[in-house]
């Protein structure tokens, strides 16, 4: 979308100028899960490869904010910054590991459209949407919860807000969800940040949306060919039954 | 040492990119920001970064601000252009979220930049003025009003060299006076009103040539303050003693009517955020999807009493500044007339509703095909026609108002105003903006008297055309 591009260019340009320092300052922002993976690589990789990985990782984190992912650019960046071209089998292996790792990373952090989310027990949903309506705030043990209707240009879904999210997010807010989870929670199929995910407000108002289909109002069944996956079985309701279409 | 924040932090909100880049530059170059300053000229990318770092220092460290500013003077090679651009971006995108100290610092450094004629400082002041919200009597908004006015009032020498800033400031403070004057109260408010009156009177009496740049809308906004004694006198002089303003081109109030108001004035009273939301609504949102956006807009910008004073400014913006392309007009995107209809319905008080309707029809009264833009008059006509038959009360209300306006706005020029309204309708028909006025003329829900009156503007079309031809041949002094 045209509205996102300028920020992407700005970030990319900054990396060209300040790559090193930005990389190092961002190491602290590595999520705990990825940190341990990095630990493995630091033991087998030399400084240069780690440098490449960190650079690209940082860039990925930045582009996560903009939502644009260019695999070819990421991989070519790795090639450009990684000077080791000849080399021993060990070095070649490091490079190989690096690329595999990063390719894995790229696929894990792609932003998806709401119409493509599928119930799963993993926190791998990276999406951007606008908040349409909030329900009432209730208590679930010690924490506050609040159901909400959110949507992007492709679909809507019920988003379960938790804790401080309930009071912070307001209708009209554009929210970026990282590492969210779309699953059954107390018999409701909802999208939420969960323990490992993070929802952040990135803007207001300027995003288009549709309210149908609503991904929470679909009956899902297990894929007979792959019992770990779900497929759409039937539409329970085209619009949210909790919030209803806008009057 | 962890530096201060510039913007208010809210949980679950992504870090603001501008603040981030300013702080990172500051952290990077902290050690270079203390004297003695190197005398070498940095290369472009480093120069930009240094500007970012100094900007952060000035905003976040008031006790060191003068040192940072001296540093800036020492290294500047571009007339401060990058520096003001940074402040401009911050102002346009995040002013309302600035914490108290950075906000004060921003105003301080702006006043400093005037003395050194920094590049684009005029644009920065225009941006600051746009941040003063109409109809908002909160402490912080009134504070901003006062502080900007103080800087302007202390720098008349500079103001006279910057006609755009002077005329823009006049436009802004006349409009603000109309909001502020009705409020009684604190000593501070009285002081603000006094300053505003003095400023506007000085601009009008001593620099009328520059004030005239506003054009016909100057008449419109002056009328909202004529109950204030100083402006009553100005109004009397405008009507009966125009020579007292000592401008040769100005011999009668109608001279102002013929000056179309440049569109940048209509941006002055709506904030950049409001502008981008309105533009988004009118560029991307499809018919049928607008309800949620409208509710969010009201919740954000039009929810407190007094906020209605901005509705006439928004109408002026939509009519005169935002002109959608043909592609958008023919697409399924919501039309300007529909958004204006919604805004009119949002008015709860007659005074604001009347002002909004005046804003809608203002260009009709003075329309001249040679200088004026048909896009300015299109929404009013489409709103009237398209409201028949489902929302015929709107058409009724608008027609009534239009005739009231023609008859009473300027009784000495009644015929001319009527002629211009006819010309507007004529042009809209000729260019196919409306194909036929029959739905309006033959609608039984509209009172026969109104329909007949409307009809009377139509046969005048032929007369109107002939009259214009005659006028062109005998050049008048208007």
């Amino acid at each position: 979308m045209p509205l996102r591009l300028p920020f992407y260019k700005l970030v990319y340009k900054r990396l060209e100028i300040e790559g090193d320092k930005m990389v190092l300052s961002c190491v602290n922002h590595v999520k705990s899960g990825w940190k341990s993976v990095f630990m493995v690589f630091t033991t087998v990789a030399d400084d240069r490869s780690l440098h490449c990985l960190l650079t690209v990782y940082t860039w990925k984190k930045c582009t996560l904010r903009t939502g644009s992912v260019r695999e070819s650019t990421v991989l070519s960046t790795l090639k450009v910054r990684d000077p080791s071209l000849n080399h021993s089998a060990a070095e070649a292996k490091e490079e190989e590991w690096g690329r595999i790792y990063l390719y894995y990373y790229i696929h894990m952090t792609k932003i998806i459209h709401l119409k493509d989310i599928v119930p799963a027990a993993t926190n791998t949903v990276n999406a951007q949407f606008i908040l349409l309506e909030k329900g009432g705030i209730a208590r679930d043990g010690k924490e506050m919860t609040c159901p909400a209707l959110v949507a992007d240009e492709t679909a809507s879904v019920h988003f379960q807000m938790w804790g401080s999210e309930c009071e912070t997010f307001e209708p009209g807010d554009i929210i970026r969800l990282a590492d969210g989870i779309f699953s059954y929670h107390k018999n409701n199929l909802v999208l939420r940040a969960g323990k490992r995910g993070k929802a952040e407000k990135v803007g207001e108002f300027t995003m288009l949306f549709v309210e149908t289909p609503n991904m929470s109002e679909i009956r899902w069944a297990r894929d007979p060919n792959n019992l770990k996956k779900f497929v759409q079985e039937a539409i329970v309701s085209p619009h949210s039954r909790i919030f209803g279409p806008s009057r | 040492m962890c530096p201060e924040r510039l913007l208010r932090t809210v949980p679950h909100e992504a870090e603001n990119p501008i603040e981030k880049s300013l702080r990172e530059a500051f952290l990077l170059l902290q050690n270079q920001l203390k004297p003695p300053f190197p005398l070498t000229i940095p290369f472009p990318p480093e120069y930009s970064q240094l500007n970012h770092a100094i900007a952060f220092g000035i905003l976040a460290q008031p006790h060191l601000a003068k040192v940072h500013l001296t540093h800036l003077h020492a290294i500047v090679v571009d007339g401060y252009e990058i520096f003001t651009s940074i402040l401009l971006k911050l102002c346009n995108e995040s002013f309302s979220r600035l914490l108290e100290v950075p906000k004060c610092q921003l105003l301080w450094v702006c006043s400093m930049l005037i003395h050194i004629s920094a590049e684009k400082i005029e644009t920065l002041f225009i941006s600051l003025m746009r941040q003063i919200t109409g109809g908002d009597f909160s402490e912080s908004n009134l504070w901003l009003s006062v502080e900007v006015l103080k800087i302007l009032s202390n720098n008349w020498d500079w103001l006279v060299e910057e006609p755009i800033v002077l005329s823009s400031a006049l436009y802004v403070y006349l409009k603000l006076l109309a909001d502020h004057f009705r409020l009684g109260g604190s000593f501070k408010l009285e002081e603000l009103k006094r300053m505003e009156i003095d400023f506007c009177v000085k601009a009008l009496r001593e620099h009328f040539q520059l004030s005239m740049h506003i054009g016909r809308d100057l008449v419109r906004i002056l009328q909202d303050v004529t109950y204030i004694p100083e402006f009553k006198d100005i109004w009397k002089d405008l009507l009966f003693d125009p020579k007292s303003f000592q401008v040769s081109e100005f011999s009668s109030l109608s001279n102002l009517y013929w000056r179309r108001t440049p569109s940048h004035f209509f941006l002055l009273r709506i904030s950049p955020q409001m502008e981008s939301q309105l533009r988004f609504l009118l560029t991307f949102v499809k018919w049928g999807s607008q309800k949620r956006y409208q509710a969010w807009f009201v919740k954000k910008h039009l929810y407190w009493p007094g906020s209605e004073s901005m509705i006439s400014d928004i109408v002026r913006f939509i009519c005169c500044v935002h002109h959608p392309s043909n592609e958008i007009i023919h697409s399924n995107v919501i039309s300007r007339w529909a958004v204006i209809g919604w805004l009119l319905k949002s008015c709860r008080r007659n005074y604001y509703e009347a002002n909004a309707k005046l804003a809608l029809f203002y260009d009709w009264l003075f329309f001249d095909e040679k200088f004026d833009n048909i896009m300015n008059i299109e929404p009013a006509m489409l709103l009237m026609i398209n409201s028949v038959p489902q929302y015929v009360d709107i058409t009724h209300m608008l027609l009534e108002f239009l005739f009231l306006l023609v008859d009473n706005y300027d009784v000495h020029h009644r015929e001319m105003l009527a002629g211009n309204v006819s010309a507007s309708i004529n042009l809209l028909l000729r260019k196919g903006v409306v194909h036929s006025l029959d739905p309006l003329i033959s609608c039984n829900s509209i009172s026969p008297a109104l329909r007949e009156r409307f009809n009377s503007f139509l046969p005048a079309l032929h007369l109107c055309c002939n009259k214009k031809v005659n006028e062109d041949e005998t050049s008048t002094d208007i």
Side-chain angles (χ1 to χ4, degrees):
Chain A
M1 272 196 75
L3 294 169
R4 290 186 209 160
L5 269 176
F7 184 70
Y8 160 78
K9 283 193 178 140
L10 180 75
V11 169
Y12 193 48
K13 270 199 150 21
R14 284 192 58 230
L15 263 178
E16 285 172 337
I17 298 166
E18 309 168 60
D20 298 9
K21 303 216 170 59
M22 222 175 116
V23 162
L24 292 171
S25 72
C26 281
V27 171
N28 294 328
H29 296 308
V30 174
K31 281 211 187 353
S32 57
W34 295 110
K35 224 179 223 161
S36 50
V37 179
F38 264 119
M39 296 295 243
V40 173
F41 280 95
T42 50
T43 58
V44 299
D46 69 10
D47 278 352
R48 269 181 327 210
S49 302
L50 182 61
H51 181 104
C52 301
L53 290 176
L54 287 174
T55 307
V56 182
Y57 174 83
T58 311
W59 186 54
K60 285 315 304 126
K61 271 288 183 194
C62 294
T63 56
L64 182 66
R65 292 185 183 284
T66 64
S68 63
V69 177
R70 298 246 210 98
E71 298 172 14
S72 53
T73 324
V74 171
L75 294 176
S76 62
T77 307
L78 178 61
K79 282 193 191 105
V80 165
R81 284 189 156 263
D82 190 339
S84 56
L85 294 173
N86 41 7
H87 330 321
S88 62
E91 280 175 314
K93 195 76 187 173
E94 283 167 29
E95 262 192 61
E96 182 65 36
W97 271 105
R99 288 180 216 283
I100 293 171
Y101 167 81
L102 277 158
Y103 211 84
Y104 179 70
Y105 183 92
I106 291 163
H107 284 283
M108 293 286 282
T109 57
K110 224 181 188 141
I111 283 215
I112 59 171
H113 288 137
L114 287 179
K115 72 170 169 61
D116 294 325
I117 58 176
V118 171
T122 51
N123 53 321
T124 52
V125 176
N126 298 287
Q128 178 164 299
F129 41 77
I130 186 165
L131 195 131
L132 302 183
E133 252 183 84
K134 266 165 82 164
I137 298 181
R139 283 212 166 273
D140 181 349
K142 282 190 197 158
E143 289 286 359
M144 290 191 289
T145 63
C146 181
L149 180 66
V150 304
D152 67 5
E153 296 101 337
T154 63
S156 68
V157 73
H158 294 153
F159 182 69
Q160 187 79 20
M161 296 195 282
W162 183 261
S164 53
E165 289 173 358
C166 299
E167 282 172 340
T168 313
F169 296 138
E170 291 296 329
D173 287 352
I174 299 175
I175 297 168
R176 181 87 48 133
L177 176 65
D179 303 327
I181 175 168
F182 181 52
S183 65
Y184 292 93
H185 181 75
K186 305 198 168 165
N187 286 331
N188 294 315
L189 182 57
V190 293
L191 181 64
R192 58 203 162 97
K195 289 192 178 62
R196 306 227 190 97
K198 187 164 84 152
E200 269 186 336
K201 175 178 169 180
V202 295
E204 266 178 35
F205 200 94
T206 53
M207 181 169 173
L208 294 177
F209 60 86
V210 296
E211 295 191 43
T212 188
N214 184 308
M215 307 311 288
S216 298
E217 300 285 11
I218 288 178
R219 193 163 65 233
W220 298 82
R222 293 199 185 267
D223 183 344
N225 299 324
N226 179 353
L227 290 175
K228 283 197 184 154
K229 288 176 80 173
F230 281 93
V231 289
Q232 294 189 20
E233 191 179 62
I235 295 177
V236 176
S237 166
H239 290 96
S240 162
R241 284 171 299 164
I242 306 176
F243 294 99
S246 66
R247 290 153 291 290
Chain B
M1 196 189 79
C2 184
E4 299 293 331
R5 299 211 74 93
L6 297 181
L7 303 177
R8 235 178 24 241
T9 38
V10 182
H12 295 288
E13 202 159 310
E15 185 172 13
N16 183 281
I18 305 171
E19 172 166 14
K20 190 158 186 240
S21 67
L22 289 176
R23 181 182 307 106
E24 280 174 357
F26 180 81
L27 284 173
L28 203 59
L29 300 176
Q30 254 183 117
N31 298 326
Q32 293 179 33
L33 296 178
K34 306 183 193 108
F37 304 126
L39 292 174
T40 53
I41 296 173
F43 286 112
E46 285 130 11
Y47 180 72
S48 166
Q49 223 174 28
L50 192 51
N51 272 272
H52 278 76
I54 292 176
F56 186 90
I58 290 179
L59 294 173
Q61 303 182 312
H63 52 292
L64 290 173
K66 288 204 173 122
V67 175
H68 292 309
L69 192 57
T70 312
H71 190 179
L72 182 64
H73 293 325
I75 57 129
V76 77
V77 293
D78 64 342
Y80 303 90
E81 187 167 342
I82 290 188
F83 189 73
T84 48
S85 304
I86 294 169
L87 297 181
L88 189 59
K89 197 161 179 211
L90 189 64
C91 192
N92 278 334
E93 295 178 26
S94 318
F95 185 86
S96 56
R97 298 185 44 205
L98 276 172
L99 292 166
E100 226 180 283
V101 166
K103 220 182 241 189
C104 292
Q105 289 302 104
L106 177 62
L107 282 162
W108 172 80
V109 76
C110 285
S111 66
M112 294 291 114
L113 289 171
I114 290 181
H115 299 142
I116 49 180
S117 307
E119 288 283 332
K120 298 216 264 189
I121 184 65
E122 337 72 65
T123 324
L124 188 44
F125 268 91
I126 303 276
S127 176
L128 279 173
M129 287 194 282
R130 287 184 73 183
Q131 302 295 334
I132 308 173
T133 314
D136 177 353
F137 306 112
S138 64
E139 277 273 343
S140 60
N141 196 53
L142 293 177
W143 172 87
L144 180 61
S145 219
V146 166
E147 291 304 311
V148 172
L149 189 53
K150 271 192 199 155
I151 299 176
L152 296 175
S153 302
N154 289 336
N155 287 286
W156 271 102
D157 293 337
W158 167 74
L159 261 186
V160 203
E161 302 295 317
E162 300 284 351
I164 294 190
V165 184
L166 197 157
S167 48
S168 301
L170 177 61
Y171 187 95
V172 168
Y173 282 101
L174 276 176
K175 189 81 215 287
L176 287 174
L177 257 176
D179 293 335
H180 293 161
F181 201 75
R182 292 161 196 281
L183 238 74
S186 65
F187 173 67
K188 275 198 188 146
L189 188 58
E190 294 304 319
E191 203 187 294
L192 170 60
K193 288 190 230 174
R194 177 59 19 215
M195 276 178 72
E196 287 172 342
I197 294 174
D198 290 343
F199 180 83
C200 295
V201 166
K202 181 163 176 166
L204 287 166
R205 290 260 182 225
E206 297 176 33
H207 305 284
F208 193 69
Q209 176 104 32
L210 299 178
S211 305
M212 274 178 83
H213 286 198
I214 299 180
R216 60 176 73 128
D217 279 76
L218 178 57
V219 177
R220 184 176 62 88
I221 53 173
L222 257 178
Q223 289 187 312
D224 279 335
V225 293
T226 48
Y227 58 90
I228 302 177
E230 290 87 341
F231 294 100
K232 197 175 194 161
D233 292 334
I234 290 184
W235 187 246
K236 271 195 212 143
D237 287 339
L238 282 172
L239 287 173
F240 304 121
D241 189 15
K243 291 295 173 197
S244 66
F245 293 93
Q246 296 168 337
V247 174
S248 53
E249 311 93 78
F250 184 67
S251 52
S252 137
L253 187 65
S254 55
N255 291 151
L256 273 176
Y257 293 157
W258 298 124
R259 290 184 169 232
R260 192 177 57 84
T261 302
S263 51
H264 63 82
F265 283 99
F266 302 123
L267 286 171
L268 289 171
R269 296 282 69 234
I270 62 176
S271 67
Q273 197 182 40
M274 205 189 267
E275 178 192 351
S276 69
Q277 290 186 357
L278 286 167
R279 289 201 191 265
F280 179 84
L281 182 62
L282 291 165
T283 310
F284 294 107
V285 176
K286 308 246 189 301
W287 275 102
S289 306
Q290 75 272 22
K291 286 217 159 48
R292 289 203 195 270
Y293 293 101
Q294 286 172 350
W296 298 334
F297 189 86
V298 167
K299 194 163 156 231
K300 178 101 190 184
H301 302 289
L302 295 174
Y303 63 91
W304 70 91
S307 58
E308 288 179 52
S309 107
M310 291 191 285
I311 291 185
S312 58
D313 298 312
I314 299 175
V315 170
R316 218 68 194 111
F317 165 79
I318 294 177
C319 288
C320 305
V321 182
H322 185 82
H323 293 165
S325 64
N326 271 330
E327 202 191 314
I328 293 182
I329 294 176
H330 294 123
S331 74
N332 203 18
V333 171
I334 189 159
S335 309
R336 296 187 293 159
W337 63 263
V339 173
I340 291 177
W342 156 64
L343 285 167
L344 284 177
K345 285 235 115 141
S346 309
C347 291
R348 289 172 294 266
R349 288 178 46 197
N350 288 336
Y351 172 74
Y352 296 122
E353 194 183 304
N355 268 352
K357 289 187 275 195
L358 177 64
L360 179 61
F361 281 117
Y362 205 62
D363 288 311
W364 284 47
L365 297 174
F366 310 106
F367 193 75
D368 182 340
E369 211 178 320
K370 290 198 285 292
F371 311 113
D372 291 294
N373 193 329
I374 194 177
M375 292 296 271
N376 293 8
I377 55 172
E378 175 237 48
M381 177 57 96
L382 289 181
L383 180 56
M384 286 198 292
I385 282 275
N386 290 317
S387 298
V388 178
Q390 218 182 351
Y391 301 102
V392 75
D393 52 318
I394 295 186
T395 314
H396 213 273
M397 174 224 339
L398 289 174
L399 279 175
E400 252 176 6
F401 187 83
L402 178 61
F403 301 142
L404 253 171
L405 208 54
V406 168
D407 291 338
N408 299 301
Y409 191 72
D410 182 341
V411 288
H412 298 293
H413 294 95
R414 193 183 284 161
E415 248 187 54
M416 176 197 80
L417 298 187
N420 292 333
V421 169
S422 278
S424 307
I425 302 174
N426 178 29
L427 184 66
L428 290 164
L429 272 171
R430 255 191 14 234
K431 296 279 180 183
V433 171
V434 268
H435 298 291
S436 157
L437 294 168
D438 280 340
L440 214 157
I441 299 174
S442 53
C443 174
N444 290 322
S445 318
I446 302 178
S447 89
L450 281 180
R451 282 187 278 149
E452 206 184 297
R453 184 80 202 271
F454 187 71
N455 221 359
S456 73
F457 281 95
L458 305 183
L461 292 182
H462 304 293
L463 288 173
C464 179
C465 289
N466 288 337
K467 225 180 186 179
K468 273 210 163 319
V469 168
N470 289 335
E471 270 177 355
D472 286 346
E473 285 169 356
T474 69
S475 57
T476 59
D477 60 82
I478 283 179

